[in-house]
């Protein structure tokens, strides 16, 4: 590998995140006296890393077009409740429940996109409204009660491992790879980035910005459905509070990972590494009994710092060009 190529790789945000992730993991392992390295702890760590990865990708595909989706957490909860309801109350098999969760997520995402296109209201406002609606629907599925005792096979998958790695984590990595291929290799993915980079230039090139908006929100909803399936499989029980704590992580992972708020730039690897870092912070909080509010403060400050750094970087790039 040439020196110039090495310097380019070392200068990428993903390289810095990888170093931080490795250093943080080693530091936490030392601080816990090696307890972090036990098979049970490692398995739990990666099992509960799957949803933050998927939910970060769900937010990332909307950030790609310069918009936000505030409903990803609530939608993940709704899809989880629907899947559990289909298995327990409707008596349907797990594969049907999985398809149902994906269908609900994709349909809700498409509704978000269509509302943005036809109302011409910013996606932030539209998804804020649909988030509130979805929260009500989520509670309406089963009220405050908990769904549990559903498909043993699905729960077995949630606990299963391959070569020491949880199956749900491997599923999350597979989904991340597919999202990466979507943006790098498909026309629709490149059109989303074109719309986010410059809607005017994209329109002159024959790209339908409206279609890109609908595709981005639809894919975001579909990924929320995937996160819901992983939640149902890994947790063993779901209730109407599922998804309430996912909004901040959904933004933290892509923004810390180098995704531009203004659109046009995505980083699947960066999003996954940032989700890993946020998961390390969660483990640190659990291990040392830190007040969760302090953790929220730390993550929020890091997100704000990442936004400011990205803004400064974009201004420097504009001046140099």
């Amino acid at each position: 590998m040439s020196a110039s190529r090495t310097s380019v790789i070392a200068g990428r945000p993903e390289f810095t995140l990888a170093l931080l992730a490795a250093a943080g993991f080693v530091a936490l392992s030392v601080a816990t006296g090696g307890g972090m390295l036990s098979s049970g702890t490692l398995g739990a760590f990666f099992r509960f890393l799957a949803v933050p990865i998927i939910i970060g990708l769900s937010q990332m595909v909307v950030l790609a077009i310069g918009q936000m989706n505030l409903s990803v957490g609530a939608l993940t909860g709704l899809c989880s409740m629907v899947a559990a309801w289909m298995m327990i109350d409707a008596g349907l098999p797990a594969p049907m429940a999985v398809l149902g969760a994906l269908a609900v997520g994709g349909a809700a995402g498409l509704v978000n996109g269509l509302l943005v296109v036809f109302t011409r209201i910013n996606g932030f406002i539209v998804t804020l409204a649909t988030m509130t609606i979805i929260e009500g629907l989520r509670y309406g599925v089963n009220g405050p009660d908990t769904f549990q005792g559903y498909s043993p096979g699905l729960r077995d998958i949630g606990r299963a491992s391959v070569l020491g790695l949880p199956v749900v984590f491997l599923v999350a990595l597979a989904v991340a790879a597919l999202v990466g291929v979507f943006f790098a290799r498909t026309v629709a993915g490149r059109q989303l980035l074109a719309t986010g980079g410059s809607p005017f230039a994209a329109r002159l090139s024959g790209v339908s910005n409206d279609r890109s908006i609908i595709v981005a929100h639809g894919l975001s909803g579909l990924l929320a459905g995937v996160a819901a399936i992983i939640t149902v499989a890994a947790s063993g029980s779901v209730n109407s509070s599922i998804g309430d704590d996912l909004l901040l992580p959904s933004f933290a992972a892509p923004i810390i990972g180098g995704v531009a708020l203004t659109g046009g730039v995505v980083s699947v690897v960066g999003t996954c590494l940032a989700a890993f870092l946020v998961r390390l912070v969660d483990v640190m909080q659990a291990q040392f009994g830190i007040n969760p509010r302090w953790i929220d403060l730390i993550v929020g400050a890091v997100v704000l710092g990442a936004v400011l750094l990205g803004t400064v970087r974009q201004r420097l790039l504009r001046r140099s060009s």
Side-chain angles (χ1 to χ4, degrees), residues 12 14 57 60 253-254 257-259 265-272:
R12 292 181 62 85
E14 293 88 345
L57 294 172
M60 187 194 76
V259 176
V265 178
V266 297
S267 176
V268 172
V269 174
T271 298
C272 294

Side-chain angles (χ1 to χ4, degrees), residues 81-176:
M81 294 290 286
V82 167
W85 175 86
M86 290 178 70
M87 288 183 286
I88 294 177
D89 287 359
L92 296 173
M96 292 295 295
V98 168
L99 292 176
L102 293 176
V104 169
L110 289 175
V111 169
N112 280 337
L114 290 169
L115 285 173
V116 172
V117 168
F118 287 112
T119 65
R120 298 300 174 186
I121 299 175
N122 187 277
F124 180 92
I125 303 299
V126 169
T127 57
L128 176 62
T130 56
M131 177 186 71
T132 306
I133 295 171
I134 291 170
E135 286 176 345
L137 292 173
R138 181 183 58 181
Y139 184 84
V141 174
N142 200 42
D145 297 332
T146 298
F147 280 122
Q148 54 188 353
Y150 43 78
S151 173
L154 186 60
R155 285 181 287 143
D156 288 342
I157 292 174
R159 294 190 294 262
S161 298
V162 175
L163 300 177
L165 292 174
V167 169
V168 291
F169 174 68
L170 296 176
V171 169
L173 291 184
V175 171

Side-chain angles (χ1 to χ4, degrees), residues 21 50 54 56 62 73 81 83 98 117 184 188 192 206 216 232-233 239 243 248 263 268 272 295 306 310 313:
I54 299 298
V62 180
M81 294 290 286
V98 168
V117 168
L192 259 61
V232 172
N239 55 42
L248 178 58
V268 172
C272 294
I295 299 300
R313 186 185 296 116

Side-chain angles (χ1 to χ4, degrees), residues 300-313:
V302 172
V303 171
L304 179 60
V307 171
L308 294 176
L309 183 62
T311 302
V312 171
R313 186 185 296 116

Side-chain angles (χ1 to χ4, degrees), residues 57-74:
L57 294 172
S58 177
Q59 193 67 251
M60 187 194 76
V61 297
V62 180
L63 290 173
I65 60 170
Q67 296 195 8
M68 301 180 186
N69 184 0
L70 299 185
S71 68
V72 290

